[in-house]
Amino acid sequence: MFKRMLGTAAVIVALGASLVTEAGVAPTPAHAASNMVPDYEVKLLLNPSAVLDSDFKLTSTVLSTFAMPTTVTKMNVAFLDTDSKEIYNNGWSPRIRKTEGEDDFELSYKKRYTIANNDINAALTQANNDGFDSGDDNYEAQVEWGYQKKTLSITRTKSGSKSGYSGMDLPSIGDARSLMVNNAPDKFNDWLNNDWGTDNLEDSRYFGPVLAKRSEGTWSGLKLYIEVWPIKNAAGTGTEYVVEASFKTDSASTASTMHDQLISFLQSKGWFLAQDSLKTQLIMDRY
């Protein structure tokens, strides 16, 4: 669709150049929509052996450092894909999530772009060429800023409900497929060809679920979250705990400055894990 729009725009520009008005001025050529404007989420890993107690909860020292309560918010999360991971291998991650205290299921369709050589604008331009531009308010752009790696994510989020479920339960895979198919946005659905997305969702299974816990506090004037994700270990015989601290900002300069300051702070406490966070990849690889 976007390519057709570009073709139409080219014709308009060509015609405009050949038609001069009475004042001798050619019409102003049409312009493509500008790149999306992202926000930024800094995500840094903590060493689970240093920040979790024997019950795999954040230690009282960590909680007090960030003025976090002992209560947590639970999140039950799973991804949908085919056995061959056709959707994930094409850069998409359809996810269903139930958050404690919320009635509906959150349905998200996320497209990821690698940010190479720290060139965020190049990734935004690539997304624009795929039809994700500033003219579409349905999608949100975010730079996920890890320890060393940055990724651009473009996400469409919807909500859905199914009767018969309570608490933190996710729906059955059949009901989850139905929710994700019925709410699939056009860009996802027609990514490679017509109904590509929904055809793959019809053949999908769960990757997960993972019941994560989120704590909320503050650090240096920013709202800080720490999430604990119990993920199946590589051997499939036990659990690996992924602990991630994160904050959001609309400013690239704030993200850059506070990213480095938070690393230094966590290092000073002996809590920092010098790796990039790869929760989605771990779940897709291990479930």
Side-chain angles (χ1 to χ4, degrees):
M1 177 180 176
F2 190 66
K3 291 180 179 179
R4 292 198 299 270
M5 290 171 62
L6 285 177
T8 302
V11 171
I12 293 172
V13 171
L15 288 174
S18 64
L19 298 174
V20 179
T21 66
E22 293 180 2
V25 179
T28 302
H31 294 281
S34 57
N35 288 349
M36 299 183 78
V37 177
D39 66 4
Y40 301 83
E41 183 172 22
V42 171
K43 299 180 177 182
L44 299 172
L45 291 181
L46 308 184
N47 185 346
S49 63
V51 299
L52 299 182
D53 61 21
S54 58
D55 293 325
F56 304 106
K57 299 177 180 179
L58 293 174
T59 66
S60 58
T61 302
V62 173
L63 294 177
S64 62
T65 298
F66 299 112
M68 291 176 167
T70 55
T71 55
V72 297
T73 300
K74 298 176 183 177
M75 302 173 295
N76 206 7
V77 179
F79 298 91
L80 279 78
D81 209 335
T82 63
D83 282 333
S84 62
K85 295 187 277 194
E86 171 71 15
I87 302 174
Y88 180 73
N89 290 335
N90 279 283
W92 284 92
S93 294
R95 184 190 71 188
I96 185 167
R97 179 169 72 178
K98 183 67 187 323
T99 300
E100 189 175 16
E102 296 183 4
D103 293 331
D104 291 342
F105 300 107
E106 181 190 271
L107 316 174
S108 65
Y109 306 79
K110 179 180 289 189
K111 178 71 176 77
R112 286 189 170 91
Y113 293 88
T114 299
I115 296 175
N117 303 316
N118 205 34
D119 194 342
I120 294 172
N121 283 330
L124 287 166
T125 298
Q126 183 182 354
N128 193 332
N129 292 337
D130 286 337
F132 300 109
D133 58 51
S134 61
D136 191 343
D137 295 332
N138 292 317
Y139 288 84
E140 295 182 354
Q142 182 176 84
V143 174
E144 299 173 357
W145 197 314
Y147 169 49
Q148 293 180 317
K149 183 180 179 181
K150 296 184 185 72
T151 303
L152 172 66
S153 66
I154 311 291
T155 306
R156 177 77 182 270
T157 303
K158 298 187 178 185
S159 63
S161 61
K162 283 282 186 181
S163 60
Y165 299 97
S166 61
M168 296 304 299
D169 290 341
L170 288 178
S172 67
I173 184 59
D175 284 345
R177 288 191 197 112
S178 175
L179 281 170
M180 298 299 288
V181 166
N182 291 338
N183 287 279
D186 291 342
K187 287 187 176 72
F188 164 76
N189 191 30
D190 299 330
W191 185 247
L192 294 185
N193 46 62
N194 289 342
D195 296 331
W196 171 85
T198 51
D199 285 347
N200 281 298
L201 284 173
E202 291 284 8
D203 294 329
S204 68
R205 66 170 176 86
Y206 269 153
F207 286 77
V210 175
L211 182 62
K213 297 177 180 178
R214 172 191 287 162
S215 297
E216 179 180 330
T218 57
W219 171 77
S220 195
L222 294 169
K223 185 178 290 186
L224 185 81
Y225 299 97
I226 298 182
E227 296 179 357
V228 180
W229 289 65
I231 296 175
K232 185 185 298 183
N233 65 14
T237 56
T239 302
E240 174 184 342
Y241 287 85
V242 175
V243 186
E244 179 186 84
S246 65
F247 66 84
K248 294 181 181 180
T249 175
D250 291 332
S251 165
S253 60
T254 298
S256 179
T257 299
M258 302 310 285
H259 167 275
D260 295 347
Q261 289 185 17
L262 183 54
I263 288 176
S264 297
F265 180 80
L266 295 173
Q267 286 174 332
S268 73
K269 296 288 188 180
W271 296 343
F272 185 61
L273 186 62
Q275 298 175 11
D276 276 298
S277 183
L278 301 170
K279 300 191 304 293
T280 301
Q281 181 179 324
L282 291 178
I283 294 170
M284 296 302 297
D285 286 346
R286 296 179 181 181
Y287 286 82

